[in-house]
């Protein structure tokens, strides 16, 4: 089957809703990345997500809701701090992990006693969620281990044969996945940095956020041997980039480069992308840039590291994961 890609329109939304009701998969744009959606209450539909992505069944999914008023259906506690974040950042690129109700079934939460909830702000996601009227479980619409999609085309390349419909809402504004904050223990914990800075979160919470490495239980030994991107990627500090290039050149390696401040040397002949200098635009372009460099089929991708301050935290996190080839960001 080859998915239809439809520009979002009332007719396209109506078709998407009928697919969701029928237990089929619909890919849709959000402000962060494209999601691979299924009716969150339908076990067979949710199983299709895991099959399409090749994702282990114990990795929990985020349930997308049309508005915060629906939270009590899915979460048995909605602590004050979580309410404050939802009030300030929803609709938007924030996911809250809360103690679940029975409606958040094991097949969505991976058997955990908590559920991830998000109210996205992308107009197409909002229209879809309001028209469907129920929760939509959706991971990023990439195959497990691949780069998250930020255009409808990326989704079609990865999952075109597995979804009934791809709603095209253009390139995602944020470009990296949502910030995830868990409210399951004593203190709120940042599980994944994202489009909202830690400073903004802490200002709203009025307290510091704890951070934790690793987000969800992982099933050791079940991880595939491919990484995102497929070409091995290496992080290099700006001052070391030219020397590293020269060394690789001497070894006759084909190199693809994601630079930010370093200019392309005149003699450099392979793929070279100059990324935007500011963090928001860098994030917006990041996954499309990584896909383009991956497609160059070089021996190695060199990525110029970004600054260490708060606005770059989420990007540093994604770059570190892409270059270490670790499992954490493969969902
Ligand atoms: O921006 C986003 O969050 C996108 C869009 C489509 O909404 N979604 C997304 O989903 O990135 P996914 O499945 O690719 O990543 C969600 C992450 C996973 O690492 C998962 O382990 C974690 O959220 N997660 C979900 N529910 C959780 C829970 N109950 N406890 C801990 N982690 C959870
Ligand atoms: Mg993902």
């Amino acid at each position: 089957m080859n998915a239809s890609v439809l520009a979002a329109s009332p007719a396209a939304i109506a078709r998407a809703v009928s697919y969701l009701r029928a237990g089929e998969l619909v890919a849709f744009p959000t402000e962060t990345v494209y999601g691979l959606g299924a009716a969150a209450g339908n076990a067979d539909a949710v199983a299709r997500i895991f099959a399409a992505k090749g994702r282990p069944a114990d990795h929990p999914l985020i349930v997308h809701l049309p508005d915060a008023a629906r939270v009590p259906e899915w979460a048995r506690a909605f602590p004050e701090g979580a309410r404050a974040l939802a009030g300030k950042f929803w609709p938007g690129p924030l996911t809250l992990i809360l103690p679940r109700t029975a409606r958040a079934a094991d097949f969505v939460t991976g058997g955990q006693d908590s559920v991830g909830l998000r109210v996205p702000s992308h107009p197409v996601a909002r229209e879809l969620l309001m028209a469907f009227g129920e929760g939509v479980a959706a991971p990023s619409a990439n195959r497990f281990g691949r780069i998250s999609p930020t255009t409808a085309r990326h989704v079609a390349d990865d999952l075109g044969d597995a979804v009934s419909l791809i709603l095209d809402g253009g390139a995602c504004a944020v470009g990296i996945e949502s910030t995830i904050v868990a409210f399951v223990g004593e203190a709120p914990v940042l599980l994944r940095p994202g489009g909202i800075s830690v400073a903004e979160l802490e200002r709203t919470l009025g307290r510091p956020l704890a951070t934790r490495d690793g987000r969800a239980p992982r099933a050791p030994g079940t991880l595939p041997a491919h990484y995102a991107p497929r070409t091995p990627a290496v992080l290099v500090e700006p001052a070391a980039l030219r020397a590293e290039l020269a060394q690789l050149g001497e070894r006759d390696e084909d190199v693809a480069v994601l630079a930010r401040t370093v200019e392309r040397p005149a003699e450099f002949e392979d793929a070279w992308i100059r990324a935007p200098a500011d963090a928001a635009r860098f994030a917006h372009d990041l996954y499309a840039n990584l896909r383009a460099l991956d497609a160059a089929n070089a021996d190695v991708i060199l990525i110029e590291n970004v600054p260490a301050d708060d606005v770059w935290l989420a990007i540093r996190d994604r770059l570190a994961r892409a270059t270490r080839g670790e499992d954490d960001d493969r969902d």
Side-chain angles (χ1 to χ4, degrees):
M1 177 179 55
N2 250 332
S4 359
V5 181
L6 290 182
S9 66
I13 299 278
R15 209 158 125 192
V17 167
S18 67
Y19 283 133
L20 289 175
R21 295 225 161 94
E24 293 184 37
L25 302 183
V26 172
F28 62 98
T30 82
E31 68 280 16
T32 59
V33 300
Y34 275 70
L36 178 63
N42 181 329
D44 293 334
V46 172
R48 286 205 178 102
I49 290 178
F50 288 91
K53 283 184 62 104
R55 171 163 158 164
D58 65 346
H59 288 206
L61 300 177
I62 296 170
V63 177
H64 297 70
L65 302 173
D67 56 67
R70 311 300 288 272
V71 167
E73 296 172 20
W74 297 88
R76 64 181 190 271
F78 195 5
E80 199 185 316
R83 275 177 206 274
L85 294 188
K88 170 104 184 175
F89 299 110
W90 278 353
L94 171 73
T95 297
L96 297 173
I97 308 294
L98 299 171
R100 68 171 170 176
T101 63
R103 180 175 293 203
D106 284 346
F107 58 77
V108 168
T109 71
Q112 304 203 56
D113 192 33
S114 59
V115 63
L117 300 175
R118 176 158 115 77
V119 178
S121 64
H122 193 293
V124 176
R126 285 178 65 76
E127 281 168 34
L128 178 67
L129 290 164
M130 285 189 288
F132 183 56
E134 298 291 327
V136 172
S140 50
N142 52 281
R143 282 193 199 281
F144 188 60
R146 302 283 297 134
I147 300 162
S148 291
T150 53
T151 66
R153 177 61 198 270
H154 294 163
V155 181
D157 287 348
D158 257 21
L159 292 169
D161 55 354
V163 297
S164 298
L165 174 62
I166 301 170
L167 288 173
D168 188 348
C172 301
V174 177
I176 56 174
E177 303 82 352
S178 61
T179 298
I180 304 182
V181 183
F183 288 85
V184 290
E186 295 281 290
V189 181
L190 178 72
L191 296 190
R192 179 172 75 184
I196 300 167
S197 75
V198 174
E200 286 179 280
L201 295 168
E202 292 181 338
R203 216 175 300 129
T204 305
L205 282 170
R207 63 185 291 184
L209 265 180
T211 51
R212 198 179 69 189
D213 261 354
R215 297 165 226 148
R218 294 288 185 236
T222 61
L223 299 171
H226 58 249
Y227 301 141
R230 289 195 178 107
T231 313
V234 179
L235 258 184
V236 189
E237 294 308 316
L241 186 64
R242 280 168 180 277
E244 186 73 31
L245 271 178
Q247 265 195 14
L248 289 163
E250 269 167 36
R251 281 189 288 174
D252 242 15
E253 305 240 12
D254 289 335
V255 189
V257 180
L258 183 62
R260 192 178 73 93
T261 64
V262 178
E263 302 240 3
R264 175 194 189 118
E267 70 281 7
F268 187 84
E269 285 175 349
D270 299 330
W272 183 287
I273 293 178
R274 183 84 179 264
D278 78 280
R281 288 171 52 226
F282 189 102
H284 177 275
D285 293 357
L286 176 62
Y287 290 149
N289 284 341
L290 288 178
R291 279 175 189 258
L293 293 172
D294 209 11
N297 285 318
D299 298 308
V300 59
I301 297 173
L302 287 190
I303 301 175
E304 179 186 335
N305 208 354
V306 297
D309 30 305
D310 188 29
V311 291
W312 291 93
L313 178 71
I315 293 166
R316 283 178 75 91
D317 169 79
R318 302 308 189 278
L319 293 181
R321 291 178 197 288
T323 51
R324 286 195 310 249
E326 286 185 353
D327 63 317
D328 302 56
D329 209 38
R330 291 172 172 197
D331 282 339

